[in-house]
């Protein structure tokens, strides 16, 4: 489907275009395998000489349709679904890095990604340098080494709500001959399309707004097709030089702009196997069909909640990029559609950790769950929950204050969410 269509239309229709007599709704291809008539036909698929489905670990029609929808929404050339957002971040990097390589990451990232980069990658021989994303171009460039293969950051960070200056990061990456990978989970392509600001690869935890209903854990990697791997073939031999596991095929030569996603599919998925189930891809697609309706509603409600919290004496501080006084207000206006970022608001309650916990326990409509970006309003205390494994020092380094409350505003009536906050604030007085 043409990328000229508007995001609202892509959310509803992209990816699945049935022909005469086929189901109007994307079917769940609940099949591990696909039938062929001759041995020769199957052999061509295994040699990547022809494209087609043969085994769901590599490709499945349901997954492919949903990946195509997300690629269209992001304005990319191709995408691959993964079993989780963590798998998406892992594969996005591993597709271009191996033992002995290095990446640069912003410190303002999701706790799970931080663990992957700070603890697990070094065990695999991939080193990661963390940089403050507010640092100057010179300071960030100083972290780049000859073996650096990518720069990684989040459009709007979970949970610290730092807004990335995507163009600044893209320029730094490109001047060093490496791609910029951006986790666009919080903004979704409804509010921001990082490729328009120079990012090369986008990842998502589809578990969040894309699914939107807290039904299925999932992830996706999207390639813009813009990074010129051949021009930097010394750094990316895995893409530009013959792959012995495919009789010496070279991805960039065989697949052009499709090289990165094809390699992730036929090599990483083949060998590591973190696929999304077709059932979950179907649920994700249902979520995507209303993404354009839900995201603006989340943001509208979050704006009202942020303004309410800002007016409360018990609230020590608040972050929301939609508040005119917020550090990231101008950048959000510049990069995001109508200046809208996401439905998540973070704040601190006067009196620190203990009072924060009492406040959370007093909420009735907002549930304490390990989740964000759900239709149902939910709340979490990262220092006690998601970031529990980090030391206080690491917490501060990641910009997560010990009193930080992450409040994920749902799509209910804003008045009811605010009334719940009000009664919880009264309960701790
Ligand atoms: C949740 C999240 C992830 C990890 O995704 P899972 O689907 O939970 O594996 C990665 N990045 C961001 C920004 C997230 O919010």
């Amino acid at each position: 489907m043409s990328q000229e269509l508007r995001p609202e239309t892509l959310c509803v229709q992209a990816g699945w275009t049935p022909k005469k007599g086929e189901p109007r709704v994307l079917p769940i291809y609940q099949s591990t395998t696909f039938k062929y008539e001759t041995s020769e036909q199957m052999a061509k698929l295994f040699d990547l000489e022809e494209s087609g489905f043969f085994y769901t670990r590599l490709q499945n029609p349901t997954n492919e349709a949903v990946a195509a929808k997300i690629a269209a929404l992001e304005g990319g050339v191709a995408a691959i679904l993964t079993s989780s957002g963590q798998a998406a971040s892992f594969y996005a990097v591993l597709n271009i890095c191996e033992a002995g390589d290095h990446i640069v990451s912003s410190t303002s990232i999701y706790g799970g990604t931080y663990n992957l980069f700070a603890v697990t990658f070094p065990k695999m021989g991939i080193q990661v340098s963390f940089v403050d994303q507010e640092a100057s171009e010179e300071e960030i460039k100083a972290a780049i080494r000859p073996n650096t293969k990518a720069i990684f950051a989040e459009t709007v960070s979970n949970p610290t709500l730092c807004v990335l200056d995507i163009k600044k990061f893209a320029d730094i990456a490109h001047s060093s001959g490496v791609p910029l990978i951006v986790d666009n989970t919080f903004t979704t392509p409804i509010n921001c399309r990082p490729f328009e600001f120079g990012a090369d690869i986008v990842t998502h935890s589809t578990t969040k707004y894309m699914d939107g209903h807290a039904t299925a854990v999932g992830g996706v990697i999207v390639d813009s097709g813009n990074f010129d791997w051949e021009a930097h073939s010394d750094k990316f031999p895995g893409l530009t030089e013959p792959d012995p596991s495919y009789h010496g095929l070279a991805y960039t030569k065989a697949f052009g702009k499709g090289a990165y996603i094809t390699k992730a599919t036929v090599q990483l998925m083949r060998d590591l196997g973190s696929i999304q189930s077709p059932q979950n891809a179907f649920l994700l697609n249902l979520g995507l069909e209303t993404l354009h309706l839900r995201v603006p509603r989340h943001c509208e409600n979050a704006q009202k909640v942020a303004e309410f919290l800002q007016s409360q004496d018990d609230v020590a501080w608040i972050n929301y990029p939609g508040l005119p006084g917020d550090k990231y207000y101008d950048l959000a206006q510049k990069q995001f559609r109508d200046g809208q970022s996401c439905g998540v608001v973070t704040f601190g309650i006067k009196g620190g950790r203990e009072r924060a916990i009492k406040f959370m326990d007093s909420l009735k409509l907002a549930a304490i769950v390990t989740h964000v970006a759900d239709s149902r309003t939910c709340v979490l205390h990262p220092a006690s929950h998601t970031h529990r494994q980090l030391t206080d020092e690491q917490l501060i380094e990641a910009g997560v204050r010990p009193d930080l409350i992450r409040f994920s505003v749902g799509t209910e009536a804003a008045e009811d969410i605010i009334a719940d906050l009000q009664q919880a604030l009264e309960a701790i007085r």
Side-chain angles (χ1 to χ4, degrees):
M1 197 173 300
S2 153
Q3 281 177 16
E4 305 303 308
L5 292 171
R6 288 166 182 75
E8 293 81 352
T9 309
L10 296 174
C11 278
V12 180
Q13 295 230 11
W16 176 247
T17 316
K19 296 179 211 69
K20 178 168 171 268
E22 287 184 348
R24 183 71 187 97
V25 175
L26 172 66
I28 306 173
Y29 282 85
Q30 194 68 55
S31 180
T32 59
T33 191
F34 302 84
K35 177 186 175 277
Y36 287 89
E37 261 131 32
T38 66
S39 169
E40 168 83 12
Q41 287 171 344
M42 184 84 95
K44 285 200 162 130
L45 297 177
F46 272 99
D47 280 347
L48 307 180
E49 279 173 21
E50 278 175 18
S51 68
F53 303 101
F54 54 105
Y55 191 59
T56 285
R57 171 149 43 75
L58 282 99
Q59 274 159 331
N60 173 282
T62 308
N63 292 27
E64 195 166 277
V66 181
K69 176 178 281 189
I70 297 171
L73 279 166
E74 286 286 7
V77 292
I80 180 173
L81 300 186
T82 57
S83 56
S84 66
Q86 282 302 111
S89 307
F90 178 48
Y91 282 27
V93 173
L94 197 67
N95 206 28
I96 47 176
C97 274
E98 58 188 39
D101 288 342
H102 170 258
I103 65 166
V104 172
S105 170
S106 165
T107 48
S108 304
I109 53 171
Y110 173 69
T113 314
Y114 186 87
N115 280 333
L116 171 67
F117 289 178
V119 181
T120 301
F121 270 177
K123 286 184 195 163
M124 300 172 63
I126 299 171
Q127 300 302 321
V128 184
S129 297
F130 291 95
V131 295
D132 175 357
Q133 65 184 46
E134 307 313 322
S136 69
E137 284 195 26
E138 291 66 37
E139 286 172 287
I140 297 166
K141 271 190 191 155
I144 292 171
R145 305 175 186 171
N147 60 341
T148 301
K149 298 298 166 74
I151 301 185
F152 186 98
E154 293 177 11
T155 318
V156 172
S157 61
N158 175 9
T160 47
L161 303 184
C162 298
V163 177
L164 180 74
D165 186 337
I166 303 171
K167 188 172 179 303
K168 172 176 112 175
F169 266 70
D171 288 348
I172 295 169
H174 298 157
S175 71
S176 311
V178 301
L180 173 65
I181 306 175
V182 170
D183 179 337
N184 196 34
T185 298
F186 264 30
T187 18
T188 83
I190 299 301
N191 287 342
C192 180
R193 303 208 307 172
F195 296 154
E196 290 171 2
F197 301 93
D200 302 287
I201 291 147
V202 156
T203 61
H204 285 270
S205 165
T206 60
T207 319
K208 313 297 166 52
Y209 289 114
M210 284 194 170
D211 171 301
H213 303 79
T215 57
V217 172
V220 68
I221 307 169
V222 191
D223 181 15
S224 66
N226 293 334
F227 193 82
D228 189 348
W229 309 105
E230 287 277 350
H232 305 284
S233 58
D234 54 321
K235 284 193 200 297
F236 305 104
L239 279 158
T240 61
E241 284 177 16
D243 179 349
S245 71
Y246 282 108
H247 307 314
L249 166 148
Y251 296 100
T252 44
K253 287 164 194 87
F255 302 103
K257 283 185 182 296
Y260 177 90
I261 293 295
T262 302
K263 177 174 180 285
T265 305
V266 304
Q267 192 190 76
L268 294 187
M269 271 306 170
R270 179 196 63 188
D271 297 352
L272 303 173
S274 316
I275 54 153
Q276 191 165 126
S277 74
Q279 171 82 36
N280 280 359
F282 174 84
L283 291 170
L284 169 58
N285 187 52
L286 282 186
L288 289 168
E289 286 186 10
T290 57
L291 188 69
H292 60 299
L293 301 173
R294 290 181 290 105
V295 166
R297 169 71 175 205
H298 278 287
C299 296
E300 196 183 300
N301 279 358
Q303 186 71 29
K304 289 181 186 161
V305 163
E307 284 167 10
F308 165 77
L309 288 169
Q310 201 174 32
S311 72
Q312 298 301 300
D313 286 340
D314 280 308
V315 174
W317 56 270
I318 173 159
N319 286 335
Y320 187 65
L323 290 174
D326 192 89
K327 184 174 168 192
Y328 296 106
Y329 180 82
D330 291 337
L331 195 51
Q333 295 299 314
K334 195 174 98 187
Q335 289 184 149
F336 304 156
R337 176 150 115 163
D338 300 328
Q340 292 197 326
S341 53
C342 62
V344 181
V345 172
T346 58
F347 59 97
I349 293 283
K350 283 183 190 159
R353 236 182 225 246
E354 267 169 51
R355 220 156 158 251
I357 289 169
K358 182 154 186 253
F359 165 79
M360 283 179 46
D361 290 349
S362 306
L363 290 165
K364 295 187 172 118
L365 191 120
I368 300 175
V369 295
T370 306
H371 206 245
V372 271
D374 178 355
S375 296
R376 286 153 288 248
T377 296
C378 56
V379 65
L380 189 92
H381 183 225
S384 317
H385 307 134
T386 45
H387 288 59
R388 207 181 168 79
Q389 316 307 337
L390 303 194
T391 63
D392 269 12
E393 216 169 53
Q394 286 173 318
L395 275 177
I396 304 287
E397 197 190 21
V400 182
R401 304 165 61 146
D403 65 341
L404 182 149
I405 293 173
R406 183 180 75 184
F407 196 79
S408 173
V409 182
T411 54
E412 305 93 339
E415 294 77 2
D416 291 336
I417 303 168
I418 290 170
D420 190 34
L421 287 165
Q422 189 134 36
Q423 66 79 26
L425 286 170
E426 277 159 19
I428 59 167
R429 277 197 195 124

